[in-house]
């Protein structure tokens, strides 16, 4: 398995704070998501994908030839979360993603079965909270290790007949929390527009 391309050399890690947690005037946090995309973990070109900011930010996701990202359309109650885990062999984070499946048709059931059979995925979520200038709109879960199906819950007499699927990394498998996803444009400047262009360009669309 190829390693992700880290911008900073891991051998020169700096474990001291260098900046403060500053108040952002006019900013109010918001919860929830307005979009979600799944990527097969094995479809990512890990050697070409680039990270920055102590590996908490993704500046480029590169897919293998013909690979696509897959939309997950549904309720805004879907979520991503991370949990810090202490370990004798190195601390880390567990990433978890939950999605409410509104329609349980052939395609949806096949997708869930693929997850049940061991497919690992990465998710990109579009948050309602984009920050001051859209710079924190997108976050990525499971990029370093991939996430496997942990729960598929369905009750025909509850939750309006919807199903909830949960995927997660192994405990503490990720080096950081959820990563910000903000692509660089042609001038190597961080750009929300470049990020959304990448999503549109690589998006799977159903055959009519």
């Amino acid at each position: 398995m190829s390693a992700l391309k880290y911008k900073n050399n891991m051998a020169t890690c700096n474990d001291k704070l260098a900046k403060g947690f500053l108040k952002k005037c006019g900013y109010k946090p918001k919860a929830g998501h307005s979009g979600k995309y799944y990527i097969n973990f094995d479809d990512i070109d890990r050697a070409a994908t680039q990270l920055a900011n102590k590996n908490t930010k993704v500046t480029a996701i590169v897919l293998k030839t013909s690979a696509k990202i897959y939309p997950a359309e549904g309720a805004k109650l879907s979520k991503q979360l991370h949990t810090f885990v202490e370990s004798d062999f190195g601390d880390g984070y567990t990433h978890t993603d939950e999605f409410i499946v509104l329609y349980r048709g052939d395609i949806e059931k096949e997708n869930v079965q693929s997850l049940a059979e061991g497919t690992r995925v990465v998710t990109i979520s579009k948050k309602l909270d984009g920050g001051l200038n859209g710079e924190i709109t997108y976050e990525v879960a499971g990029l370093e290790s991939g996430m496997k199906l942990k729960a598929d819950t369905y009750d025909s007499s509850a939750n309006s007949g919807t199903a909830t699927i949960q995927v997660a990394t192994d405990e503490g498998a990720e080096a950081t929390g959820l990563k910000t996803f903000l692509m660089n444009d042609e001038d190597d400047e961080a750009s929300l527009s470049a990020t959304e262009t990448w999503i549109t360009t690589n998006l799977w669309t159903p055959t009519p």
Side-chain angles (χ1 to χ4, degrees):
M1 182 185 298
S2 300
L4 293 168
K5 187 173 182 181
Y6 298 106
K7 190 170 184 178
N8 299 318
N9 191 327
M10 294 297 289
T12 58
C13 293
N14 181 1
D15 58 2
K16 295 182 179 180
L17 294 179
K19 299 176 183 178
F21 295 93
L22 302 180
K23 179 180 179 180
K24 303 295 189 291
C25 294
Y27 168 71
K28 179 178 175 57
K30 303 177 186 68
H33 297 94
S34 61
K36 186 187 295 287
Y37 307 91
Y38 284 83
I39 310 174
N40 288 309
F41 179 74
D42 290 338
D43 284 346
I44 296 175
D45 184 337
R46 300 174 61 75
T49 293
Q50 299 182 23
L51 307 178
N53 294 38
K54 292 180 75 76
N55 309 319
T56 64
K57 183 177 183 180
V58 186
T59 57
I61 295 178
V62 180
L63 301 179
K64 295 178 181 178
T65 302
S66 300
K68 295 291 182 181
I69 67 175
Y70 300 93
E73 301 171 349
K76 62 182 180 181
L77 296 177
S78 299
K79 60 185 177 182
Q80 286 178 324
L81 56 148
H82 69 231
T83 305
F84 180 71
V85 179
E86 290 185 290
S87 169
D88 292 338
F89 303 102
D91 300 340
Y93 285 83
T94 302
H95 290 191
T96 304
D97 186 288
E98 292 185 6
F99 177 64
I100 297 175
V101 182
L102 297 181
Y103 186 78
R104 299 178 63 253
D106 289 346
I107 293 176
E108 292 75 18
K109 288 183 177 181
E110 285 184 9
N111 285 341
V112 174
Q113 187 59 32
S114 291
L115 293 171
E117 292 173 358
T119 295
R120 289 188 295 170
V121 294
V122 173
T123 61
I124 300 172
S125 282
K126 183 176 184 179
K127 303 187 301 178
L128 296 178
D129 187 352
L132 292 175
N133 299 296
E135 73 279 7
I136 62 171
T137 298
Y138 291 94
E139 285 191 320
V140 179
L143 182 64
E144 297 175 27
S145 61
M147 297 182 289
K148 298 181 291 185
L149 186 68
K150 299 296 183 180
D152 172 21
T153 306
Y154 171 71
D155 183 338
S156 63
S157 61
N159 301 315
S160 299
T162 61
T164 299
I165 57 174
Q166 180 189 85
V167 293
T169 64
D170 292 336
E171 187 176 79
E174 299 280 316
T176 74
L178 300 173
K179 301 181 190 298
T180 299
F181 178 37
L182 190 64
M183 298 275 289
N184 287 345
D185 60 19
E186 295 178 352
D187 297 320
D188 204 29
E189 297 291 333
S191 168
L192 178 61
S193 176
T195 306
E196 295 191 324
T197 296
W198 181 90
I199 290 172
T200 301
T201 300
N202 291 286
L203 188 64
W204 171 86
T205 54
T207 302

